[in-house]
């Protein structure tokens, strides 16, 4: 990513450029790029906007498909200078994560576990798209943990991701259930 950001011959950097640069790590790298911003409180609608490509990428990972992006997503781009500033800001965090990643517990970071990780990310991506207040933080962190585990072939990160998926889905399910129950109660009170 630093090499791409430093390429002064480019005026813009597209998602397709990132996709080609990442090679076999493209799906997990793009999942990280779309999930990480949701790990922090963001303006309403951001999680739906960033969650939609995650659904698409997680589905590919689930079914073990060759990485592919629709042209509408691949052609989206930012100015090279903006991309460079983003890379500079996140480089410290990515370097820290890369130091922690090691090829270990491969059974959790390779197919078929990788496909189950994709399914977990698919479910979490759907939760991200839903308009649940602050419901995007834990699923986004979990998807990020999976992305790091898959990129680094680190089964420990993937195992932590599976545990966090269970916690995320229980919490999100509780919040969604409470919101639905409160909505039904309000409707019943309105018609009473």
């Amino acid at each position: 990513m630093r090499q791409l950001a430093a390429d002064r011959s480019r005026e813009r950097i597209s998602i397709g450029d990132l996709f080609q640069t990442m090679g076999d790590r493209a799906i997990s790298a793009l999942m990280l790029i779309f999930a990480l911003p949701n790990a922090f409180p963001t303006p309403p609608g951001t999680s739906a906007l960033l969650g939609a490509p995650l659904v698409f990428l997680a589905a590919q990972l689930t079914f073990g498909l060759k990485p592919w992006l629709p042209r509408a997503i691949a052609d989206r781009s930012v100015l090279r200078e903006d991309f460079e500033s983003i890379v500079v800001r996140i480089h410290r965090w990515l370097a820290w994560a890369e130091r922690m990643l090691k090829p270990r517990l491969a059974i959790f970071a390779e197919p078929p576990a990788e496909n189950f990780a994709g399914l977990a990310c698919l479910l979490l991506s759907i939760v991200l798209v839903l308009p649940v207040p602050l419901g995007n933080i834990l699923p986004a962190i979990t998807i990020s943990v999976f992305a790091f585990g898959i990129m680094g072939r680190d089964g420990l990160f993937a195992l932590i991701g599976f545990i966090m998926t269970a916690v995320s889905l229980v919490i999100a399910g509780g919040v969604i259930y409470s919101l639905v129950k409160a909505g039904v109660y309000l409707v019943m009170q309105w018609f009473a």
Side-chain angles (χ1 to χ4, degrees), residues 27-28 31 54-67 110-126 146 150 162:
I27 289 180
S28 53
M31 286 176 65
L54 278 171
V55 171
F56 185 78
L57 293 165
Q60 288 182 47
L61 186 61
T62 301
F63 298 109
L65 301 175
K66 183 181 177 204
E110 296 172 352
E114 184 178 275
N115 303 100
F116 285 113
L119 180 60
C121 290
L122 181 60
L123 294 172
L124 294 167
S125 309
I126 293 168
F146 272 125
I150 293 166
F162 284 116

Side-chain angles (χ1 to χ4, degrees), residues 99-172:
R99 282 193 304 273
M100 298 204 42
L101 293 172
K102 299 176 187 151
R104 56 188 159 191
L105 299 174
I107 192 168
F108 294 110
E110 296 172 352
E114 184 178 275
N115 303 100
F116 285 113
L119 180 60
C121 290
L122 181 60
L123 294 172
L124 294 167
S125 309
I126 293 168
V127 170
L128 272 177
V129 174
L130 297 175
V132 178
L134 298 176
N136 58 339
I137 295 173
L138 192 55
I141 292 171
T142 305
I143 292 170
S144 299
V145 168
F146 272 125
F148 276 124
I150 293 166
M151 277 192 301
R153 302 288 182 234
D154 192 334
L156 180 60
F157 269 70
L159 184 59
I160 292 169
F162 284 116
I163 294 166
M164 289 178 69
T165 297
V167 172
S168 298
L169 292 176
V170 166
I171 291 172

